[in-house]
Amino acid sequence: MSEVIGAVEEAYKAFNADQVVQPDYIGIDLHPPRGDIDFKLGYYKGNEIISMKASSGGFPNNPVTYGVPSGMGTILLFDAQTCALICVMDGSLITGLRTGASGAVSVKALARKNAKKITSIGTGNQARMQIRAINEIMRVEVIHAWDHTPESLAKFKADIEREFGIPVVTAHSKQDAVEQADILITTTRGKGSVVEADWIKPGTHIVAIGTDAKGKQELDPEVFRNAKVVVDSILQCTEKGETQHPLGRNIIAKDGIHAEIGEVLLGTKPGRESDDEITIFDSTGMAIQDNTTSTRIYRNAIERNVGTFFEFIQ
Amino acid sequence: MSEVIGAVEEAYKAFNADQVVQPDYIGIDLHPPRGDIDFKLGYYKGNEIISMKASSGGFPNNPVTYGVPSGMGTILLFDAQTCALICVMDGSLITGLRTGASGAVSVKALARKNAKKITSIGTGNQARMQIRAINEIMRVEVIHAWDHTPESLAKFKADIEREFGIPVVTAHSKQDAVEQADILITTTRGKGSVVEADWIKPGTHIVAIGTDAKGKQELDPEVFRNAKVVVDSILQCTEKGETQHPLGRNIIAKDGIHAEIGEVLLGTKPGRESDDEITIFDSTGMAIQDNTTSTRIYRNAIERNVGTFFEFIQ
């Protein structure tokens, strides 16, 4: 995970240093109860690698009827010198890892230095990934967690306490949990109730992960009114990130977005400037994160002679 | 090849029977002397397979400097029921095969039944693929061939005569070759001189293969004025096929395109209606051809237990 955090930092900086080409993605929507599959392409001039990730999601019948996950991913890497295919790897775990790492990168750049308490709204896989990543870069004193499913909440508490030794307080309400936060992480599916603006205390850093499509929402758009808003990609976040909602209601204007996170990491825009600011990091996920993360995994695999070699061209 | 011809016929019919989803392709243009790589996606409801082909081309330094071809291809197949990845295969040979087959499919649908003489303008790999495919579906009496490189022309003659036993006449001029044609096939890179309209005799069927991008051209646009024009895809051919040129010069209008070839194969539009017609088949190549062809290869491989099995998800 510490390497993934480095890879994601590199990705964000590269994106804002004009080192990245990320065309629009293409996809196929299948007939319900099936979901969709999309293909995201990223070229990074820094490593001369082109990555293509195929990601599917929304196939609820997969586990029981077909014995495969409800969403899957595959990553291809091409050497940009020749466009030869150099690697085929699974993309599901990598998506989880690089998304977890994105929260940690934003915490380094935007959270208060004395932040100790995390609130996790959502207790699924990605909530765990966020904790795993943030735990690499700071000492977490306590996690307040909330989920609308009590079983999921109890399992999250048990798992996190066992894996990381961080005490987890299972909150009685979403409001109770949010009010405790130095760092608030939202990783729900973006289809339930929202976090209300007046629950959030000054100085909170918000990591908004769950909203990655039009119509999804995790935060009351009023949260954005007096917050410092940082996004991974303005293009993506204004369309399908949490930022779509305050923009749509004219709570903020597009030029009210403070920065893309790569600008903060490169030092061309300031990060947090006071202990009272509310900062929001809106993450939709970029192809270049898949590129830098999978390239690092590929290089580690080559170095350690892990994987299977295959000749397509005889 | 006979199976590929069947697969391409199936593809064309499916396309015009509303069984196909083919999103716009995405790609990356690299800095010269490198070329580009693009990703084409096709979903066929008939076989419930989603195909994705990555194709690169235009890397002249690849063979000498890196020991790999100047263009390469990779195809992924996904089971559309679950979106699980089911196959990764090379895509270069398949592209050649399905493009060769497209010419043969058009010959069956549009050439005179008594056609015997083929003229091949261009003598590269794709010219050979065209002969290989057409030789499956009719008796070829003689091939008149022309190329601006005499060595390439001589090698074509030797190879075709040895492989297929069809006599090849190496023409003294492009005009000499074209004037002999019952079936005229153009497979140049579309950057040289064009085939002039008054060289083409009544009754000729033209297979226009080489033009697959804006600016490429193999035929005098006047050829289209009194010809029956059939394309693989109106959307693609009006933009990047041979048909772009007569449209651009108002020699024909868009509604002057007689049919997409799938309509002819399905019987919803007539094919050739007299022995005097000049017919043109403008082929730009569609993702659905890769889909049906690679799916057939995949199924043959499974049946014959050919290939390597791999578990990405443990």
Side-chain angles (χ1 to χ4, degrees):
Chain A
M1 180 56 95
S2 73
E3 281 195 85
V4 176
I5 292 170
V8 170
E9 263 176 339
E10 182 186 4
Y12 288 146
K13 286 183 191 170
F15 179 68
N16 286 101
D18 227 6
Q19 289 289 303
V20 170
V21 182
Q22 288 184 158
D24 257 3
Y25 69 92
I26 50 177
I28 304 269
D29 288 317
L30 292 154
H31 201 271
R34 292 179 286 176
D36 54 51
I37 182 165
D38 58 45
F39 296 78
K40 291 197 180 86
L41 194 52
Y43 165 42
Y44 175 26
K45 295 174 191 176
N47 63 13
E48 287 294 357
I49 297 282
I50 294 167
S51 63
M52 194 287 302
K53 184 171 81 175
S55 299
S56 63
F59 292 75
N61 297 340
N62 272 5
V64 169
T65 311
Y66 301 102
V68 293
S70 62
M72 290 170 275
T74 305
I75 294 176
L76 306 188
L77 297 180
F78 299 87
D79 174 352
Q81 288 301 340
T82 60
C83 274
L85 176 68
I86 55 172
C87 188
V88 180
M89 67 173 95
D90 176 66
S92 308
L93 178 60
I94 290 170
T95 302
L97 287 166
R98 61 84 157 156
T99 305
S102 73
V105 170
S106 83
V107 165
K108 280 211 278 182
L110 296 167
R112 293 196 328 270
K113 293 304 159 214
N114 62 352
K116 283 180 274 193
K117 297 192 283 181
I118 291 179
T119 293
S120 183
I121 303 299
T123 57
N125 283 335
Q126 186 47 231
R128 287 150 214 253
M129 281 291 188
Q130 290 290 327
I131 300 301
R132 189 168 157 192
I134 293 173
N135 189 51
E136 292 277 337
I137 56 131
M138 64 175 268
R139 203 183 69 75
V140 181
E141 192 176 275
V142 62
I143 296 166
H144 292 265
W146 186 84
D147 197 289
H148 62 276
T149 314
E151 297 73 27
S152 170
L153 187 53
K155 185 163 189 322
F156 179 78
K157 176 179 165 69
D159 291 347
I160 294 291
E161 292 185 344
R162 191 185 59 243
E163 186 170 353
F164 302 107
I166 303 169
V168 174
V169 177
T170 57
H172 294 294
S173 72
K174 191 186 259 191
Q175 178 172 357
D176 278 356
V178 171
E179 285 174 347
Q180 299 299 322
D182 295 330
I183 295 164
L184 168 65
I185 303 166
T186 59
T187 56
T188 67
R189 296 188 188 282
K191 292 172 180 171
S193 64
V194 299
V195 169
E196 292 183 20
D198 54 12
W199 300 347
I200 297 166
K201 68 181 188 212
T204 302
H205 173 57
I206 304 172
V207 182
I209 294 289
T211 296
D212 61 354
K214 253 184 198 140
K216 290 190 182 181
Q217 185 171 7
E218 298 187 307
L219 302 175
D220 175 356
E222 284 294 334
V223 175
F224 283 73
R225 191 177 295 276
N226 299 307
K228 179 174 271 179
V229 181
V230 176
V231 299
D232 54 6
S233 150
I234 288 176
L235 188 72
Q236 290 187 186
C237 288
T238 56
E239 193 200 319
K240 58 183 191 166
E242 197 63 44
T243 306
Q244 68 185 293
H245 302 294
L247 281 174
R249 301 203 201 167
N250 294 313
I251 290 168
I252 61 166
K254 197 168 158 185
D255 64 10
I257 297 169
H258 172 68
E260 289 177 326
I261 194 162
E263 298 177 292
V264 175
L265 298 175
L266 290 167
T268 57
K269 296 245 178 101
R272 171 175 291 273
E273 290 167 291
S274 87
D275 278 358
D276 291 336
E277 282 184 310
I278 292 172
T279 51
I280 301 175
F281 175 55
D282 184 9
S283 163
T284 48
M286 297 198 291
I288 192 62
Q289 293 170 252
D290 301 318
N291 181 310
T292 56
T293 305
S294 56
T295 297
R296 209 164 284 212
I297 290 168
Y298 166 70
R299 292 196 170 143
N300 286 345
I302 293 290
E303 200 173 291
R304 295 169 201 172
N305 205 25
V306 169
T308 304
F309 288 86
F310 198 87
E311 291 272 340
F312 282 102
I313 300 167
Q314 303 295 336
Chain B
M1 179 57 95
S2 72
E3 281 196 87
V4 177
I5 293 170
V8 170
E9 265 177 338
E10 183 186 2
Y12 288 147
K13 286 185 192 169
F15 180 68
N16 286 102
D18 226 8
Q19 289 289 302
V20 170
V21 182
Q22 287 184 159
D24 258 3
Y25 70 92
I26 50 176
I28 305 270
D29 289 317
L30 293 154
H31 200 273
R34 292 178 286 175
D36 54 51
I37 182 165
D38 58 44
F39 297 77
K40 290 199 181 85
L41 194 52
Y43 166 41
Y44 176 26
K45 295 174 190 174
N47 63 13
E48 286 295 357
I49 297 282
I50 294 167
S51 63
M52 194 288 302
K53 183 172 81 174
S55 299
S56 63
F59 292 75
N61 298 340
N62 272 5
V64 168
T65 311
Y66 301 101
V68 293
S70 63
M72 289 170 276
T74 305
I75 294 176
L76 306 187
L77 297 180
F78 298 87
D79 174 351
Q81 288 301 342
T82 60
C83 274
L85 175 68
I86 56 172
C87 187
V88 180
M89 67 173 96
D90 176 65
S92 308
L93 177 61
I94 289 169
T95 302
L97 287 165
R98 62 83 158 156
T99 305
S102 73
V105 170
S106 84
V107 165
K108 280 211 278 183
L110 296 168
R112 294 197 326 269
K113 294 302 161 215
N114 61 351
K116 281 179 273 194
K117 297 192 284 180
I118 291 179
T119 294
S120 182
I121 303 298
T123 58
N125 283 335
Q126 185 48 229
R128 287 150 213 254
M129 281 291 189
Q130 290 290 327
I131 300 301
R132 189 167 157 192
I134 293 172
N135 189 52
E136 292 277 339
I137 56 131
M138 64 175 267
R139 204 183 67 75
V140 181
E141 192 176 276
V142 62
I143 297 165
H144 293 265
W146 186 85
D147 197 291
H148 62 278
T149 313
E151 296 74 27
S152 170
L153 188 53
K155 187 165 185 322
F156 180 77
K157 177 180 164 69
D159 291 349
I160 295 292
E161 290 185 345
R162 192 185 59 244
E163 188 170 351
F164 302 106
I166 303 169
V168 175
V169 178
T170 58
H172 295 295
S173 72
K174 191 186 261 190
Q175 178 171 357
D176 277 357
V178 171
E179 284 174 350
Q180 298 299 322
D182 295 330
I183 296 164
L184 168 65
I185 303 164
T186 59
T187 57
T188 68
R189 295 186 189 282
K191 291 171 181 174
S193 65
V194 299
V195 169
E196 293 184 20
D198 53 13
W199 300 348
I200 296 166
K201 67 179 189 214
T204 303
H205 173 57
I206 305 172
V207 181
I209 294 290
T211 297
D212 61 355
K214 253 184 196 139
K216 289 190 183 181
Q217 186 171 8
E218 298 188 305
L219 301 174
D220 176 356
E222 284 295 334
V223 175
F224 283 74
R225 191 178 293 276
N226 298 306
K228 179 174 271 178
V229 181
V230 176
V231 300
D232 54 6
S233 150
I234 289 177
L235 189 72
Q236 290 186 185
C237 289
T238 55
E239 193 199 320
K240 57 183 191 167
E242 197 63 45
T243 306
Q244 68 184 290
H245 302 294
L247 282 174
R249 300 203 201 164
N250 295 313
I251 290 167
I252 61 166
K254 198 168 158 185
D255 64 10
I257 298 169
H258 172 68
E260 289 177 328
I261 193 161
E263 297 176 293
V264 176
L265 297 175
L266 289 166
T268 58
K269 296 245 177 102
R272 172 174 289 273
E273 290 167 290
S274 88
D275 278 357
D276 291 335
E277 280 185 312
I278 292 172
T279 50
I280 302 175
F281 175 56
D282 183 10
S283 162
T284 48
M286 298 198 290
I288 192 64
Q289 292 170 254
D290 301 319
N291 181 310
T292 56
T293 304
S294 56
T295 298
R296 209 164 286 211
I297 291 168
Y298 165 70
R299 292 197 170 144
N300 286 344
I302 293 291
E303 200 172 290
R304 295 169 201 172
N305 206 24
V306 169
T308 305
F309 287 86
F310 198 88
E311 289 273 340
F312 283 102
I313 300 168
Q314 303 294 337

mmCIF file of all heavy atoms in Angstrom, chain A residues 48-83:
data_model
loop_
_atom_site.group_PDB
_atom_site.id
_atom_site.type_symbol
_atom_site.label_atom_id
_atom_site.label_comp_id
_atom_site.label_asym_id
_atom_site.label_seq_id
_atom_site.Cartn_x
_atom_site.Cartn_y
_atom_site.Cartn_z
ATOM 1 N N GLU A 48 6.337 6.102 -20.121
ATOM 2 C CA GLU A 48 6.128 5.580 -21.489
ATOM 3 C C GLU A 48 5.347 4.261 -21.481
ATOM 4 O O GLU A 48 5.690 3.295 -22.163
ATOM 5 C CB GLU A 48 7.451 5.440 -22.246
ATOM 6 C CG GLU A 48 8.044 6.792 -22.678
ATOM 7 C CD GLU A 48 7.195 7.546 -23.717
ATOM 8 O OE1 GLU A 48 6.161 7.017 -24.168
ATOM 9 O OE2 GLU A 48 7.578 8.685 -24.065
ATOM 10 N N ILE A 49 4.285 4.258 -20.684
ATOM 11 C CA ILE A 49 3.382 3.096 -20.626
ATOM 12 C C ILE A 49 1.961 3.577 -20.952
ATOM 13 O O ILE A 49 1.533 4.640 -20.487
ATOM 14 C CB ILE A 49 3.384 2.451 -19.223
ATOM 15 C CG1 ILE A 49 4.766 1.896 -18.857
ATOM 16 C CG2 ILE A 49 2.290 1.385 -19.092
ATOM 17 C CD1 ILE A 49 5.135 0.575 -19.471
ATOM 18 N N ILE A 50 1.269 2.792 -21.766
ATOM 19 C CA ILE A 50 -0.159 3.014 -22.017
ATOM 20 C C ILE A 50 -0.913 1.917 -21.269
ATOM 21 O O ILE A 50 -0.602 0.730 -21.426
ATOM 22 C CB ILE A 50 -0.475 2.950 -23.525
ATOM 23 C CG1 ILE A 50 0.202 4.119 -24.253
ATOM 24 C CG2 ILE A 50 -1.989 2.960 -23.777
ATOM 25 C CD1 ILE A 50 0.212 3.992 -25.766
ATOM 26 N N SER A 51 -1.881 2.322 -20.446
ATOM 27 C CA SER A 51 -2.688 1.329 -19.730
ATOM 28 C C SER A 51 -4.118 1.359 -20.241
ATOM 29 O O SER A 51 -4.631 2.408 -20.634
ATOM 30 C CB SER A 51 -2.687 1.621 -18.222
ATOM 31 O OG SER A 51 -3.300 2.875 -17.966
ATOM 32 N N MET A 52 -4.737 0.201 -20.275
ATOM 33 C CA MET A 52 -6.153 0.105 -20.614
ATOM 34 C C MET A 52 -6.800 -0.768 -19.551
ATOM 35 O O MET A 52 -6.359 -1.894 -19.337
ATOM 36 C CB MET A 52 -6.321 -0.519 -22.002
ATOM 37 C CG MET A 52 -7.701 -0.378 -22.621
ATOM 38 S SD MET A 52 -8.999 -1.400 -21.895
ATOM 39 C CE MET A 52 -8.311 -3.030 -22.107
ATOM 40 N N LYS A 53 -7.794 -0.212 -18.870
ATOM 41 C CA LYS A 53 -8.498 -1.014 -17.863
ATOM 42 C C LYS A 53 -9.934 -1.258 -18.293
ATOM 43 O O LYS A 53 -10.669 -0.316 -18.582
ATOM 44 C CB LYS A 53 -8.480 -0.321 -16.505
ATOM 45 C CG LYS A 53 -9.139 -1.192 -15.408
ATOM 46 C CD LYS A 53 -8.957 -0.634 -14.012
ATOM 47 C CE LYS A 53 -9.942 0.458 -13.711
ATOM 48 N NZ LYS A 53 -9.860 0.931 -12.323
ATOM 49 N N ALA A 54 -10.303 -2.515 -18.354
ATOM 50 C CA ALA A 54 -11.703 -2.903 -18.549
ATOM 51 C C ALA A 54 -12.294 -3.145 -17.171
ATOM 52 O O ALA A 54 -11.733 -3.922 -16.394
ATOM 53 C CB ALA A 54 -11.778 -4.178 -19.387
ATOM 54 N N SER A 55 -13.386 -2.446 -16.840
ATOM 55 C CA SER A 55 -14.030 -2.627 -15.532
ATOM 56 C C SER A 55 -15.502 -2.899 -15.732
ATOM 57 O O SER A 55 -16.186 -2.105 -16.369
ATOM 58 C CB SER A 55 -14.000 -1.343 -14.707
ATOM 59 O OG SER A 55 -12.720 -0.941 -14.444
ATOM 60 N N SER A 56 -15.988 -3.956 -15.129
ATOM 61 C CA SER A 56 -17.428 -4.216 -15.163
ATOM 62 C C SER A 56 -17.985 -4.043 -13.769
ATOM 63 O O SER A 56 -17.265 -4.148 -12.773
ATOM 64 C CB SER A 56 -17.697 -5.623 -15.680
ATOM 65 O OG SER A 56 -17.146 -6.578 -14.802
ATOM 66 N N GLY A 57 -19.273 -3.772 -13.693
ATOM 67 C CA GLY A 57 -19.925 -3.638 -12.401
ATOM 68 C C GLY A 57 -21.435 -3.710 -12.553
ATOM 69 O O GLY A 57 -21.963 -3.439 -13.638
ATOM 70 N N GLY A 58 -22.092 -4.120 -11.454
ATOM 71 C CA GLY A 58 -23.553 -4.133 -11.473
ATOM 72 C C GLY A 58 -24.160 -5.413 -12.028
ATOM 73 O O GLY A 58 -25.189 -5.378 -12.696
ATOM 74 N N PHE A 59 -23.521 -6.547 -11.737
ATOM 75 C CA PHE A 59 -24.054 -7.846 -12.172
ATOM 76 C C PHE A 59 -24.435 -8.635 -10.911
ATOM 77 O O PHE A 59 -23.688 -9.511 -10.468
ATOM 78 C CB PHE A 59 -23.001 -8.613 -12.981
ATOM 79 C CG PHE A 59 -22.686 -7.984 -14.317
ATOM 80 C CD1 PHE A 59 -21.908 -6.842 -14.389
ATOM 81 C CD2 PHE A 59 -23.188 -8.521 -15.486
ATOM 82 C CE1 PHE A 59 -21.627 -6.250 -15.615
ATOM 83 C CE2 PHE A 59 -22.916 -7.948 -16.717
ATOM 84 C CZ PHE A 59 -22.137 -6.804 -16.781
ATOM 85 N N PRO A 60 -25.605 -8.316 -10.319
ATOM 86 C CA PRO A 60 -25.951 -8.900 -9.017
ATOM 87 C C PRO A 60 -26.078 -10.419 -9.044
ATOM 88 O O PRO A 60 -25.903 -11.073 -8.011
ATOM 89 C CB PRO A 60 -27.299 -8.230 -8.674
ATOM 90 C CG PRO A 60 -27.853 -7.757 -9.983
ATOM 91 C CD PRO A 60 -26.653 -7.420 -10.830
ATOM 92 N N ASN A 61 -26.387 -10.988 -10.199
ATOM 93 C CA ASN A 61 -26.570 -12.447 -10.262
ATOM 94 C C ASN A 61 -25.261 -13.216 -10.449
ATOM 95 O O ASN A 61 -25.258 -14.446 -10.399
ATOM 96 C CB ASN A 61 -27.517 -12.818 -11.413
ATOM 97 C CG ASN A 61 -28.904 -12.244 -11.209
ATOM 98 O OD1 ASN A 61 -29.277 -11.891 -10.088
ATOM 99 N ND2 ASN A 61 -29.666 -12.129 -12.286
ATOM 100 N N ASN A 62 -24.179 -12.484 -10.686
ATOM 101 C CA ASN A 62 -22.914 -13.178 -10.956
ATOM 102 C C ASN A 62 -22.497 -14.169 -9.872
ATOM 103 O O ASN A 62 -22.182 -15.321 -10.187
ATOM 104 C CB ASN A 62 -21.786 -12.162 -11.183
ATOM 105 C CG ASN A 62 -21.678 -11.723 -12.633
ATOM 106 O OD1 ASN A 62 -22.503 -12.111 -13.458
ATOM 107 N ND2 ASN A 62 -20.677 -10.928 -12.939
ATOM 108 N N PRO A 63 -22.461 -13.730 -8.578
ATOM 109 C CA PRO A 63 -21.907 -14.645 -7.569
ATOM 110 C C PRO A 63 -22.689 -15.956 -7.463
ATOM 111 O O PRO A 63 -22.093 -17.031 -7.481
ATOM 112 C CB PRO A 63 -21.983 -13.824 -6.270
ATOM 113 C CG PRO A 63 -21.949 -12.399 -6.731
ATOM 114 C CD PRO A 63 -22.734 -12.394 -8.022
ATOM 115 N N VAL A 64 -24.014 -15.856 -7.395
ATOM 116 C CA VAL A 64 -24.797 -17.072 -7.174
ATOM 117 C C VAL A 64 -24.955 -17.879 -8.463
ATOM 118 O O VAL A 64 -24.739 -19.095 -8.494
ATOM 119 C CB VAL A 64 -26.174 -16.725 -6.563
ATOM 120 C CG1 VAL A 64 -27.102 -17.941 -6.586
ATOM 121 C CG2 VAL A 64 -25.982 -16.212 -5.134
ATOM 122 N N THR A 65 -25.310 -17.208 -9.556
ATOM 123 C CA THR A 65 -25.618 -17.948 -10.781
ATOM 124 C C THR A 65 -24.362 -18.403 -11.526
ATOM 125 O O THR A 65 -24.336 -19.474 -12.120
ATOM 126 C CB THR A 65 -26.490 -17.088 -11.715
ATOM 127 O OG1 THR A 65 -27.573 -16.556 -10.961
ATOM 128 C CG2 THR A 65 -27.042 -17.907 -12.880
ATOM 129 N N TYR A 66 -23.324 -17.561 -11.515
ATOM 130 C CA TYR A 66 -22.167 -17.875 -12.356
ATOM 131 C C TYR A 66 -20.867 -18.100 -11.579
ATOM 132 O O TYR A 66 -19.839 -18.431 -12.165
ATOM 133 C CB TYR A 66 -21.960 -16.755 -13.386
ATOM 134 C CG TYR A 66 -23.154 -16.546 -14.283
ATOM 135 C CD1 TYR A 66 -24.035 -15.491 -14.075
ATOM 136 C CD2 TYR A 66 -23.410 -17.427 -15.340
ATOM 137 C CE1 TYR A 66 -25.147 -15.294 -14.893
ATOM 138 C CE2 TYR A 66 -24.511 -17.249 -16.162
ATOM 139 C CZ TYR A 66 -25.379 -16.184 -15.937
ATOM 140 O OH TYR A 66 -26.461 -16.009 -16.752
ATOM 141 N N GLY A 67 -20.899 -17.824 -10.262
ATOM 142 C CA GLY A 67 -19.697 -18.074 -9.461
ATOM 143 C C GLY A 67 -18.559 -17.105 -9.713
ATOM 144 O O GLY A 67 -17.388 -17.435 -9.489
ATOM 145 N N VAL A 68 -18.882 -15.924 -10.185
ATOM 146 C CA VAL A 68 -17.847 -14.888 -10.382
ATOM 147 C C VAL A 68 -18.327 -13.603 -9.695
ATOM 148 O O VAL A 68 -19.522 -13.442 -9.435
ATOM 149 C CB VAL A 68 -17.539 -14.626 -11.887
ATOM 150 C CG1 VAL A 68 -16.871 -15.837 -12.520
ATOM 151 C CG2 VAL A 68 -18.797 -14.228 -12.652
ATOM 152 N N PRO A 69 -17.416 -12.674 -9.403
ATOM 153 C CA PRO A 69 -17.818 -11.445 -8.704
ATOM 154 C C PRO A 69 -18.799 -10.594 -9.525
ATOM 155 O O PRO A 69 -18.881 -10.717 -10.753
ATOM 156 C CB PRO A 69 -16.492 -10.693 -8.519
ATOM 157 C CG PRO A 69 -15.420 -11.730 -8.645
ATOM 158 C CD PRO A 69 -15.954 -12.738 -9.606
ATOM 159 N N SER A 70 -19.505 -9.701 -8.826
ATOM 160 C CA SER A 70 -20.503 -8.864 -9.511
ATOM 161 C C SER A 70 -19.852 -7.768 -10.346
ATOM 162 O O SER A 70 -20.499 -7.155 -11.192
ATOM 163 C CB SER A 70 -21.470 -8.260 -8.499
ATOM 164 O OG SER A 70 -20.771 -7.426 -7.612
ATOM 165 N N GLY A 71 -18.572 -7.529 -10.114
ATOM 166 C CA GLY A 71 -17.802 -6.621 -10.965
ATOM 167 C C GLY A 71 -16.386 -7.137 -11.066
ATOM 168 O O GLY A 71 -15.882 -7.748 -10.113
ATOM 169 N N MET A 72 -15.766 -6.968 -12.223
ATOM 170 C CA MET A 72 -14.394 -7.473 -12.418
ATOM 171 C C MET A 72 -13.587 -6.461 -13.204
ATOM 172 O O MET A 72 -14.134 -5.558 -13.829
ATOM 173 C CB MET A 72 -14.433 -8.813 -13.164
ATOM 174 C CG MET A 72 -14.987 -9.952 -12.319
ATOM 175 S SD MET A 72 -15.303 -11.464 -13.266
ATOM 176 C CE MET A 72 -16.952 -11.097 -13.892
ATOM 177 N N GLY A 73 -12.283 -6.626 -13.173
ATOM 178 C CA GLY A 73 -11.427 -5.715 -13.923
ATOM 179 C C GLY A 73 -10.250 -6.443 -14.535
ATOM 180 O O GLY A 73 -9.807 -7.471 -14.030
ATOM 181 N N THR A 74 -9.787 -5.916 -15.649
ATOM 182 C CA THR A 74 -8.591 -6.430 -16.318
ATOM 183 C C THR A 74 -7.778 -5.235 -16.793
ATOM 184 O O THR A 74 -8.352 -4.291 -17.346
ATOM 185 C CB THR A 74 -8.968 -7.267 -17.561
ATOM 186 O OG1 THR A 74 -9.869 -8.289 -17.182
ATOM 187 C CG2 THR A 74 -7.727 -7.877 -18.219
ATOM 188 N N ILE A 75 -6.482 -5.278 -16.582
ATOM 189 C CA ILE A 75 -5.615 -4.193 -17.057
ATOM 190 C C ILE A 75 -4.629 -4.744 -18.077
ATOM 191 O O ILE A 75 -4.024 -5.797 -17.869
ATOM 192 C CB ILE A 75 -4.854 -3.544 -15.876
ATOM 193 C CG1 ILE A 75 -5.850 -2.825 -14.947
ATOM 194 C CG2 ILE A 75 -3.792 -2.558 -16.376
ATOM 195 C CD1 ILE A 75 -5.240 -2.229 -13.701
ATOM 196 N N LEU A 76 -4.506 -4.045 -19.197
ATOM 197 C CA LEU A 76 -3.449 -4.323 -20.170
ATOM 198 C C LEU A 76 -2.434 -3.182 -20.096
ATOM 199 O O LEU A 76 -2.820 -2.018 -20.004
ATOM 200 C CB LEU A 76 -3.988 -4.375 -21.605
ATOM 201 C CG LEU A 76 -5.152 -5.301 -21.948
ATOM 202 C CD1 LEU A 76 -5.373 -5.307 -23.468
ATOM 203 C CD2 LEU A 76 -4.897 -6.709 -21.470
ATOM 204 N N LEU A 77 -1.160 -3.525 -20.172
ATOM 205 C CA LEU A 77 -0.117 -2.501 -20.284
ATOM 206 C C LEU A 77 0.593 -2.656 -21.629
ATOM 207 O O LEU A 77 0.894 -3.778 -22.045
ATOM 208 C CB LEU A 77 0.912 -2.640 -19.157
ATOM 209 C CG LEU A 77 0.390 -2.441 -17.728
ATOM 210 C CD1 LEU A 77 1.552 -2.605 -16.729
ATOM 211 C CD2 LEU A 77 -0.267 -1.074 -17.567
ATOM 212 N N PHE A 78 0.816 -1.527 -22.279
ATOM 213 C CA PHE A 78 1.537 -1.489 -23.545
ATOM 214 C C PHE A 78 2.774 -0.605 -23.383
ATOM 215 O O PHE A 78 2.690 0.478 -22.780
ATOM 216 C CB PHE A 78 0.660 -0.883 -24.646
ATOM 217 C CG PHE A 78 -0.595 -1.653 -24.928
ATOM 218 C CD1 PHE A 78 -1.753 -1.417 -24.190
ATOM 219 C CD2 PHE A 78 -0.620 -2.630 -25.914
ATOM 220 C CE1 PHE A 78 -2.915 -2.127 -24.441
ATOM 221 C CE2 PHE A 78 -1.779 -3.348 -26.167
ATOM 222 C CZ PHE A 78 -2.938 -3.096 -25.428
ATOM 223 N N ASP A 79 3.888 -1.062 -23.931
ATOM 224 C CA ASP A 79 5.106 -0.249 -24.005
ATOM 225 C C ASP A 79 4.865 0.836 -25.056
ATOM 226 O O ASP A 79 4.683 0.531 -26.236
ATOM 227 C CB ASP A 79 6.259 -1.169 -24.414
ATOM 228 C CG ASP A 79 7.554 -0.410 -24.655
ATOM 229 O OD1 ASP A 79 7.542 0.842 -24.655
ATOM 230 O OD2 ASP A 79 8.588 -1.084 -24.852
ATOM 231 N N ALA A 80 4.861 2.094 -24.638
ATOM 232 C CA ALA A 80 4.514 3.166 -25.576
ATOM 233 C C ALA A 80 5.593 3.411 -26.636
ATOM 234 O O ALA A 80 5.338 4.097 -27.625
ATOM 235 C CB ALA A 80 4.221 4.462 -24.818
ATOM 236 N N GLN A 81 6.782 2.827 -26.476
ATOM 237 C CA GLN A 81 7.794 2.936 -27.534
ATOM 238 C C GLN A 81 7.384 2.163 -28.773
ATOM 239 O O GLN A 81 7.629 2.594 -29.899
ATOM 240 C CB GLN A 81 9.163 2.399 -27.055
ATOM 241 C CG GLN A 81 9.876 3.276 -26.044
ATOM 242 C CD GLN A 81 10.153 4.690 -26.562
ATOM 243 O OE1 GLN A 81 10.154 4.942 -27.769
ATOM 244 N NE2 GLN A 81 10.348 5.618 -25.646
ATOM 245 N N THR A 82 6.775 0.991 -28.560
ATOM 246 C CA THR A 82 6.488 0.070 -29.666
ATOM 247 C C THR A 82 5.003 -0.259 -29.771
ATOM 248 O O THR A 82 4.560 -0.784 -30.770
ATOM 249 C CB THR A 82 7.209 -1.277 -29.428
ATOM 250 O OG1 THR A 82 6.721 -1.829 -28.184
ATOM 251 C CG2 THR A 82 8.717 -1.097 -29.352
ATOM 252 N N CYS A 83 4.263 0.047 -28.721
ATOM 253 C CA CYS A 83 2.875 -0.390 -28.545
ATOM 254 C C CYS A 83 2.727 -1.903 -28.447
ATOM 255 O O CYS A 83 1.652 -2.453 -28.694
ATOM 256 C CB CYS A 83 1.944 0.221 -29.575
ATOM 257 S SG CYS A 83 1.379 1.848 -28.997
#
